[in-house]
Amino acid sequence: MAKVVISLTMSLDGFIAGPGDDFDHPLGARNGMKLFDWYTSGTGPGVNNDGRFKPKGKNQEVVEEMFAMAGASLTGRRTYDIAGGWNGTHPVNGVPVVVLTHRPPKVVPQGKSKFMFTDDIAEGVRVAKTAAGDKDVGIAGASVAQQCLKAGLVDEIYIHIAPMLLGDGVRLFDHLGDDSIDLEFIDAITTPEATHLRYRVRR
Amino acid sequence: MAKVVISLTMSLDGFIAGPGDDFDHPLGARNGMKLFDWYTSGTGPGVNNDGRFKPKGKNQEVVEEMFAMAGASLTGRRTYDIAGGWNGTHPVNGVPVVVLTHRPPKVVPQGKSKFMFTDDIAEGVRVAKTAAGDKDVGIAGASVAQQCLKAGLVDEIYIHIAPMLLGDGVRLFDHLGDDSIDLEFIDAITTPEATHLRYRVRR
């Protein structure tokens, strides 16, 4: 059964993008791009097809394992738009992508990824799990992550903390209400470029 | 020369206290107390005088080192009030306490700690550094931490991440503006009870 995992890179102050994120600046108009330095700080041949991801040291294992476990992506319409639908091929193995939206686009870029659209969060998780098979559903985007957390639909949180304070931008953990959620620490991988913290969500 | 260190326990979503923190509920009216579970999860004799701090495993080393390095505390008036002036003795070795306030209290509880009051953040840091000698100035309280970060007065950030999402409460990293601050990873100590991340603030 597929696990639902929030796997995102976050500044120590909780932002997954800087202010002013849009199509031309997917991680914010300034500073936000540094969040992803850990993906590109190495000198190796690169993990993915286009060779953009060249993590250094133990970060390489982290990314390889994330790629190996990726079964489907569950994302919001805003992230889908900002990414331009990834030109039809999700950067992680061209996995299928489920997009939460009230307005499915009329035209979808053609590539390796299959795209599915729904306006119901529980349905989105169900569809993504089926698509993922025995691999993971990765949640991308703050709003979808928050909706899934509030609905009790998240199994694990895998946060990659970049060594910076962004000050402003898109907060990952926000609008969660004031009920606390207990986490169970699974493991951590620490490198100078990023700290990778994995938790199980207690239900 | 004393270092100025933000050393605080934070939930993964960035809160150092839950909602409704006051004198009777220093970490918030509900849930917030769990933030400090890592201080008390062991069965040993306890680190501090009253035996309240009983960290488990490697957390014990973390707290012992924090106690050994504590030279002075720099805090805000709100934290001072909520803590009731610690009855005159700061829980960490009774270190001297510098309180940032525009309204110095007329009566100060008598104990081991020397209390100093100022309304100027740079002056507060200067006084606390002198009091700390060759040990660290620990910053307690979100507002003072934010003011010191914005003024470029922080040397290190030592965050103890508790395995929980609080959802609401007092955010540590907030109101920082949109200039990012680069951090340099120093080290990490990971335990199931808390992840201790230490960074140098790049100037």
Side-chain angles (χ1 to χ4, degrees):
Chain A
M1 184 68 163
K3 277 182 307 191
V4 178
V5 183
I6 296 174
S7 176
L8 287 166
T9 298
M10 179 176 100
S11 61
L12 184 64
D13 55 345
F15 297 101
I16 60 171
D21 58 326
D22 60 19
F23 179 77
D24 292 319
H25 314 92
L27 291 176
R30 38 188 204 113
N31 308 326
M33 281 308 293
K34 284 190 203 160
L35 284 170
F36 275 18
D37 277 359
W38 72 273
Y39 273 114
T40 56
S41 49
T43 52
V47 178
N48 66 334
N49 300 340
D50 67 6
R52 252 191 325 147
F53 294 159
K54 296 180 189 180
K56 192 171 167 182
K58 278 188 288 184
N59 297 302
Q60 171 92 8
E61 296 161 38
V62 171
V63 176
E64 281 174 355
E65 193 255 349
M66 280 165 52
F67 272 60
M69 285 310 296
S73 177
L74 176 63
T75 188
R77 179 61 190 268
R78 187 153 185 278
T79 302
Y80 171 86
D81 284 344
I82 282 176
W86 299 278
N87 273 322
T89 301
H90 192 278
V92 181
N93 300 339
V95 293
V97 180
V98 179
V99 184
L100 204 68
T101 178
H102 295 289
R103 312 161 283 109
K106 297 205 171 67
V107 180
V108 174
Q110 296 303 301
K112 268 184 68 184
S113 289
K114 184 181 172 191
F115 288 92
M116 289 160 282
F117 301 88
T118 175
D119 62 0
D120 183 83
I121 185 79
E123 170 74 6
V125 167
R126 232 179 349 254
V127 170
K129 276 178 145 176
T130 302
D134 56 359
K135 296 193 170 184
D136 291 347
V137 173
I139 296 179
S143 170
V144 173
Q146 293 157 17
Q147 290 177 62
C148 287
L149 275 170
K150 287 180 86 162
L153 296 169
V154 179
D155 297 300
E156 289 184 9
I157 296 178
Y158 193 26
I159 292 296
H160 317 284
I161 298 183
M164 64 186 304
L165 302 172
L166 256 170
D168 199 1
V170 180
R171 273 200 202 275
L172 174 54
F173 299 114
D174 211 357
H175 316 297
L176 290 177
D178 60 359
D179 278 337
S180 69
I181 297 173
D182 287 339
L183 307 176
E184 179 188 348
F185 177 80
I186 300 176
D187 61 27
I189 296 170
T190 59
T191 75
E193 294 80 25
T195 304
H196 312 279
L197 302 180
R198 193 193 303 261
Y199 300 92
R200 193 169 293 117
V201 177
R202 292 186 196 264
R203 299 256 170 84
Chain B
M1 183 70 162
K3 275 183 307 189
V4 177
V5 183
I6 297 174
S7 176
L8 288 165
T9 299
M10 178 176 101
S11 61
L12 184 63
D13 56 345
F15 298 101
I16 59 172
D21 58 325
D22 60 20
F23 179 77
D24 291 320
H25 313 92
L27 291 176
R30 37 186 205 116
N31 308 326
M33 280 310 291
K34 285 190 201 158
L35 284 170
F36 276 17
D37 277 359
W38 73 272
Y39 274 114
T40 55
S41 51
T43 52
V47 178
N48 65 332
N49 300 341
D50 66 7
R52 253 191 323 148
F53 293 158
K54 296 180 190 181
K56 192 171 167 182
K58 279 187 288 184
N59 296 302
Q60 172 90 10
E61 297 160 39
V62 171
V63 176
E64 282 175 353
E65 193 255 348
M66 279 164 53
F67 272 60
M69 284 311 296
S73 177
L74 176 64
T75 189
R77 180 58 190 269
R78 187 154 185 275
T79 302
Y80 171 88
D81 284 345
I82 281 176
W86 299 277
N87 273 322
T89 301
H90 192 276
V92 181
N93 301 338
V95 292
V97 179
V98 179
V99 183
L100 203 69
T101 179
H102 295 289
R103 311 162 284 110
K106 296 208 172 63
V107 180
V108 173
Q110 296 301 301
K112 266 185 68 183
S113 289
K114 181 179 174 193
F115 288 92
M116 290 159 279
F117 301 88
T118 174
D119 62 2
D120 183 84
I121 185 76
E123 170 74 9
V125 167
R126 228 174 357 249
V127 170
K129 277 179 143 178
T130 301
D134 55 0
K135 295 192 172 186
D136 291 346
V137 174
I139 296 178
S143 171
V144 172
Q146 292 157 16
Q147 291 176 63
C148 285
L149 275 170
K150 289 180 85 163
L153 295 168
V154 180
D155 297 300
E156 290 183 9
I157 296 178
Y158 193 26
I159 292 296
H160 318 285
I161 298 183
M164 65 185 305
L165 301 172
L166 257 169
D168 200 1
V170 180
R171 274 199 201 277
L172 175 52
F173 298 114
D174 212 356
H175 316 298
L176 290 178
D178 60 359
D179 279 336
S180 69
I181 296 173
D182 288 339
L183 307 176
E184 180 188 347
F185 177 80
I186 300 177
D187 60 27
I189 296 170
T190 60
T191 75
E193 295 79 25
T195 304
H196 312 279
L197 303 180
R198 192 194 304 260
Y199 299 92
R200 192 169 294 119
V201 178
R202 291 186 194 263
R203 301 258 168 83

